[in-house]
């Protein structure tokens, strides 16, 4: 019997196609203003197939305001880890009302995973990577899985791991878009003032990068904004913006 022809690896083909598209878009539009980036992505290249992800943290108002100016109905995925500051949850609701955002999608960790690996809610004190995998990476993969692309609020100045952050990047067969990649702290502050945007109340207490309350501390003068996250550890990212998400997303899409 003749051997069956080898089937093409469709996932690999899709990954390569998106890598090429993201590189082309970054070359073509990476120097545009953030609003122009949002307009082209949301209205031309990924219309009806794009969302934003937001932590509703220290400077989330900037990106969300820009998105609301383009399309208030664009889905906004919010990851509720079960460990947020109460101020963050109130801020989420206040900004949604301020900007008229109509589609806030809350994703949460799987109860079965929490019952199995973090029944008493203290996993963060023993293994922060495992805690982030359960409470952030896996839920975020489910949150963005329905979309071909999503916006983030990441900036190059935030950490050494983000210094070369592109505006358009591929995550497997999907695109991740960082309209504010080139912006500085001054750019953000100027925009907040110009548009009279509501500030996360925790910023006034020195929280300049806001995550889960057990792993977030006040930032000391002279330190970068993310130094208050997982203080005292080598860890600088939870994983939702790293290859861990792509691997988890690939599994969730099977």
């Amino acid at each position: 019997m003749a051997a069956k022809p080898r089937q093409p690896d469709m996932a690999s083909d899709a990954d390569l196609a998106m890598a090429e598209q993201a590189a082309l878009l970054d070359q073509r539009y990476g120097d545009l203003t953030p609003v122009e980036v949002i307009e082209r992505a949301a209205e031309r290249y990924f219309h009806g197939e794009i969302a934003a992800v937001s932590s509703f943290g220290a400077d989330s108002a900037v990106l969300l305001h820009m998105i609301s100016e383009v399309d208030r109905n664009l889905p906004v995925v919010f990851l509720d880890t079960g460990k947020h500051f109460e101020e963050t949850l109130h801020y989420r609701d206040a900004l949604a009302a301020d900007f008229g955002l109509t589609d806030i999608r809350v994703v949460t960790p799987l109860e079965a995973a929490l019952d199995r690996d973090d029944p008493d809610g203290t996993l963060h004190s023993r293994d922060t990577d495992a805690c982030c995998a359960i409470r952030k990476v896996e839920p975020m993969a489910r949150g963005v899985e329905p979309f071909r692309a999503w916006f983030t609020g990441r900036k190059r100045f935030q950490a050494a791991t983000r210094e070369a952050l592109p505006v358009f990047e591929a995550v497997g067969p999907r695109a991740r878009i960082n309209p504010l990649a080139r912006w500085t702290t001054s750019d953000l502050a100027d925009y907040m003032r110009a548009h009279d945007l509501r500030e996360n109340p925790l910023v006034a207490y020195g929280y300049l990068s806001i995550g889960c309350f057990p792993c977030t501390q006040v930032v000391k003068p002279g330190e970068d904004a993310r130094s208050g996250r997982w203080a005292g550890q080598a860890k600088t990212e939870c994983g939702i913006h790293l290859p861990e998400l792509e691997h988890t997303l690939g599994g969730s899409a099977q």
Side-chain angles (χ1 to χ4, degrees):
M1 179 183 295
K4 294 182 179 179
R6 183 177 181 273
Q7 295 297 312
D9 186 342
M10 299 305 293
S12 179
D13 289 346
D15 292 357
L16 290 172
M18 181 53 72
E20 292 176 0
Q21 182 180 12
L24 180 61
L25 291 174
D26 196 60
Q27 181 181 32
R28 183 177 296 171
Y29 302 126
D31 291 330
L32 295 183
T33 68
V35 170
E36 289 172 332
V37 169
I38 293 168
E39 288 173 342
R40 280 161 177 75
E43 297 176 354
R44 184 181 305 178
Y45 292 100
F46 303 102
H47 181 69
E49 300 178 295
I50 190 168
V53 298
S54 180
S55 65
F56 288 85
D59 52 38
S60 295
V62 172
L63 179 63
L64 292 172
H65 180 263
M66 292 176 177
I67 287 172
S68 73
E69 294 290 285
V70 175
D71 181 3
R72 294 185 177 186
N73 299 315
L74 190 124
V76 177
V77 179
F78 173 71
L79 175 57
D80 188 347
T81 65
K83 296 287 185 179
H84 278 302
F85 290 90
E86 283 296 322
E87 288 88 344
T88 296
L89 301 180
H90 295 319
Y91 187 59
R92 174 198 64 195
D93 297 340
L95 281 190
D98 287 348
F99 303 154
L101 299 171
T102 66
D103 192 0
I104 306 295
R105 303 188 183 188
V106 179
V107 292
T108 59
L110 295 173
E111 287 296 332
L114 293 177
D115 291 343
R116 181 187 65 239
D117 297 323
D118 194 14
D120 61 357
T122 62
L123 182 59
H124 64 272
S125 65
R126 303 186 301 277
D127 189 338
T128 53
D129 286 340
C131 185
C132 286
I134 293 172
R135 293 184 180 273
K136 291 189 172 185
V137 180
E138 190 282 328
M140 184 55 69
R142 281 188 281 113
V144 300
E145 193 275 333
F147 305 99
R148 287 188 61 230
W150 63 92
F151 296 114
T152 85
R154 292 183 299 162
K155 279 77 66 176
R156 292 172 186 165
F157 76 81
Q158 291 175 316
T161 54
R162 299 181 178 183
E163 288 179 349
L165 182 70
V167 173
F168 291 86
E169 58 183 331
V171 182
R174 296 171 174 82
R176 182 164 51 205
I177 305 165
N178 311 297
L180 301 173
R182 295 181 294 109
W183 272 34
T184 65
T185 54
S186 295
D187 293 326
L188 296 167
D190 290 346
Y191 191 93
M192 291 281 290
R193 284 193 296 269
H195 296 276
D196 194 23
L197 302 184
R198 185 191 302 265
E199 187 176 72
N200 188 308
L202 293 170
V203 172
Y205 296 99
Y207 293 95
L208 304 185
S209 180
I210 302 166
C212 297
F213 67 81
C215 299
T216 303
Q217 296 183 14
V218 170
V219 173
K220 298 177 183 178
E223 294 181 335
D224 66 60
R226 289 182 64 81
S227 64
R229 305 286 292 277
W230 308 286
Q233 301 183 47
K235 185 178 177 70
T236 59
E237 299 276 0
C238 65
I240 63 172
H241 302 304
L242 297 177
E244 286 93 326
L245 178 71
E246 183 178 342
H247 299 153
T248 306
L249 187 57
S252 70
Q254 297 299 316

